[in-house]
Amino acid sequence: MGLTTSAEAPLPVGEVSRLIGGWIDRLGAIWVEGQITQLSRRPGAGVVFLTLRDPSYDISIGVTCYRQVFDAVADVVSEGARVVVHAKPEWYAPRGQLSLRAVEIKPVGIGELLARLEQLKRGLASEGLFALDRKKPLPFLPHLIGLVCGRASAAERDVLENARRRWPAVRFEVRNVPVQGVKAVPQVVQAVKELDAHDEVDVIIVARGGGSVEDLLPFSDEQLVRAVADCRTPVVSAIGHEPDTPLLDLVADLRASTPTDAAKKVVPDVGEELDRVRGLRDRALRTVRGLLEREERGLAHALGRPVMEHPQRMVEVREAEVDALLARSRRVLGHLLDRADSELSHTHARVRALSPAATMERGYAVLQRADGAVVRSPEEVADGEELRARVAEGEFAVRRVAGAGAEAGAEAEAEVGAEAGAEGA
């Protein structure tokens, strides 16, 4: 209903805001379609804030919903998605701001398709088809590359030209197939299997240029995903552009952002490899030269040591030591022999001084009976008994005179033929 106002009787701002809120409340819940341009999900917050935009009229409106409402479609709804929202218009009087309180969110068109793809993705991931430990490494320089692409497509041209520019001798086994439409999936699967069975193919590239989500659907087909997962040959996915992520990217052994990127990742650059070889060769030469110089310095240092400059000096020192030891041993041995000779002379002199022969040389004689017994007392000799007298120069026979007294001694009667010659004691 209309309001009567004038410059003299204006409505306060609060009253205007209250009236607008009342009119909006009477609208009730409505279904609204739009594109999500902003999405705010704060951790721990119970409310999610969205901004819906109408691309045709460049008009936007804010949407709020409880977290559990948005979580129901969180896997398939993101910024840029088109959705249908069941919401009730709300007027925030303090700020004079209109928003929608959503109670249900549904993807529209492609959103529903993405929801099904997300469901398929979760199922395949649970089987382990996307696991990193299933990824096979690519060969450094493949002898033959299998290429699956559209006939006379930009993707084919990009892969072939960039690969041959990087490595002119590279060879390709190309399979031209439809890359969109109802015939795409079976023919792509058949081409992948043929190349996988080819004994000389070292790596397979599946390439396609950019397109809409609907155009890229064949490369998210479950049949193709499982066929690639069963390949024994490494597979490179080069579908669309950087933002495009079909399920083939997840199951492939390597994802390339574009067909050109696939050629760069599969084939090495001959110029870069030559530079690397030259760099390694120069590094090896520097290493060998450094090693030789270090060994030369070590050898020079070793040759500069005194023992190497005058090797005979050690022998000379040892020779002098041997001569000194020999002279010392000779002196010691001479002293020992001189002392022993002196001791022997003294001992010999003492022996001679104490021997009976030396006594007899002073004029003494030894009387012996016929049996060789020495006479020590006159009573041991009978009158007229013949004895032998030993003197220093020899011996002769004597006889005791009968009746001679002990005091008078015995007169010796020399006999002709006394034995000459001397016997030692």
Side-chain angles (χ1 to χ4, degrees):
M1 58 183 298
L3 297 176
T4 302
T5 62
S6 65
E8 291 73 23
L11 289 176
V13 174
E15 181 64 15
V16 174
S17 180
R18 183 187 65 79
L19 291 173
I20 295 174
W23 295 333
I24 292 175
D25 286 340
R26 289 197 293 269
L27 289 176
I30 57 175
W31 287 94
V32 182
E33 180 183 350
Q35 183 181 20
I36 299 177
T37 58
Q38 291 184 357
L39 174 60
S40 176
R41 299 175 63 190
R42 297 175 182 174
V47 178
V48 178
F49 298 88
L50 313 173
T51 299
L52 283 184
R53 180 175 176 273
D54 188 341
S56 302
Y57 298 96
D58 196 17
I59 297 176
S60 301
I61 188 170
V63 180
T64 60
C65 65
Y66 290 111
R67 192 176 190 87
Q68 56 267 29
V69 175
F70 186 83
D71 287 344
V73 292
D75 293 336
V76 294
V77 170
S78 60
E79 291 185 1
R82 296 184 66 91
V83 294
V84 173
V85 178
H86 189 212
K88 185 180 183 305
E90 290 183 346
W91 178 259
Y92 188 62
R95 292 185 182 176
Q97 183 177 353
L98 176 65
S99 64
L100 300 176
R101 171 72 67 172
V103 295
E104 185 178 357
I105 301 175
K106 289 185 177 181
V108 174
I110 193 62
E112 295 179 356
L113 183 58
L114 292 175
R116 291 197 299 270
L117 290 179
E118 184 64 27
Q119 226 173 10
L120 176 60
K121 175 182 175 182
R122 286 197 295 265
L124 296 175
S126 65
E127 296 181 27
L129 298 186
F130 305 152
L132 294 178
D133 55 3
R134 290 176 56 92
K135 309 295 183 183
K136 295 178 285 292
L138 271 61
F140 168 71
L141 180 60
H143 296 87
L144 183 63
I145 300 174
L147 176 60
V148 180
C149 59
R151 186 178 303 276
S153 63
E156 179 182 6
R157 184 177 61 255
D158 289 345
V159 173
L160 296 180
E161 290 182 359
N162 282 279
R164 286 168 180 161
R165 189 179 300 120
R166 291 172 64 82
W167 198 276
V170 66
R171 296 187 299 126
F172 280 91
E173 185 74 17
V174 182
R175 294 290 186 273
N176 294 123
V177 297
V179 291
Q180 67 184 61
V182 293
K183 296 182 180 179
V185 173
Q187 294 198 26
V188 172
V189 170
Q190 181 181 358
V192 169
K193 290 183 177 179
E194 288 179 2
L195 293 174
D196 185 49
H198 199 299
D199 293 335
E200 295 183 10
V201 173
D202 296 325
V203 62
I204 300 172
I205 299 176
V206 182
R208 187 199 189 285
S212 64
V213 176
E214 293 88 345
D215 294 338
L216 301 181
L217 280 179
F219 299 97
S220 293
D221 188 84
E222 182 178 0
Q223 182 183 359
L224 176 59
V225 171
R226 293 189 180 277
V228 171
D230 293 336
C231 285
R232 60 178 179 81
T233 308
V235 178
V236 178
S237 174
I239 306 302
H241 302 298
E242 180 66 34
D244 300 322
T245 55
L247 297 184
L248 181 62
D249 287 351
L250 302 177
V251 74
D253 299 293
L254 178 68
R255 176 188 181 267
S257 58
T258 62
T260 301
D261 184 50
K264 293 180 179 179
K265 290 183 175 179
V266 171
V267 180
D269 185 270
V270 63
E272 294 178 358
E273 296 306 319
L274 289 176
D275 291 341
R276 185 176 291 110
V277 170
R278 284 192 289 269
L280 292 174
R281 183 185 59 191
D282 294 341
R283 180 181 176 185
L285 287 175
R286 289 194 300 271
T287 302
V288 172
R289 287 170 181 166
L291 179 62
L292 291 176
E293 291 175 358
R294 185 170 63 251
E295 294 301 324
E296 287 178 355
R297 289 194 298 269
L299 182 59
H301 178 71
L303 293 176
R305 299 178 62 185
V307 69
M308 297 299 295
E309 290 183 347
H310 305 284
Q312 69 277 9
R313 179 173 299 175
M314 181 183 296
V315 178
E316 293 172 355
V317 171
R318 295 293 183 267
E319 182 182 10
E321 293 178 356
V322 171
D323 292 342
L325 291 174
L326 181 61
R328 179 181 177 186
S329 62
R330 285 176 176 173
R331 288 194 302 273
V332 171
L333 182 60
H335 293 161
L336 292 175
L337 291 177
D338 292 343
R339 186 170 60 187
D341 182 67
S342 176
E343 292 178 354
L344 182 60
S345 299
H346 289 99
T347 303
H348 184 263
R350 289 196 301 272
V351 170
R352 287 183 58 84
L354 297 176
S355 67
T359 303
M360 287 187 294
E361 286 179 357
R362 294 196 297 271
Y364 293 91
V366 177
L367 296 178
Q368 291 179 312
R369 302 175 66 180
D371 57 1
V374 177
V375 178
R376 293 180 174 79
S377 173
E379 288 78 7
E380 296 179 359
V381 181
D383 292 339
E385 183 179 356
E386 186 173 307
L387 302 174
R388 296 188 66 80
R390 294 184 59 188
V391 293
E393 299 297 332
E395 63 180 22
F396 55 88
V398 296
R399 181 175 303 175
R400 179 176 178 173
V401 178
E407 296 81 0
E411 291 184 2
E413 182 179 341
E415 294 184 359
V416 180
E419 294 182 9
E423 291 180 7

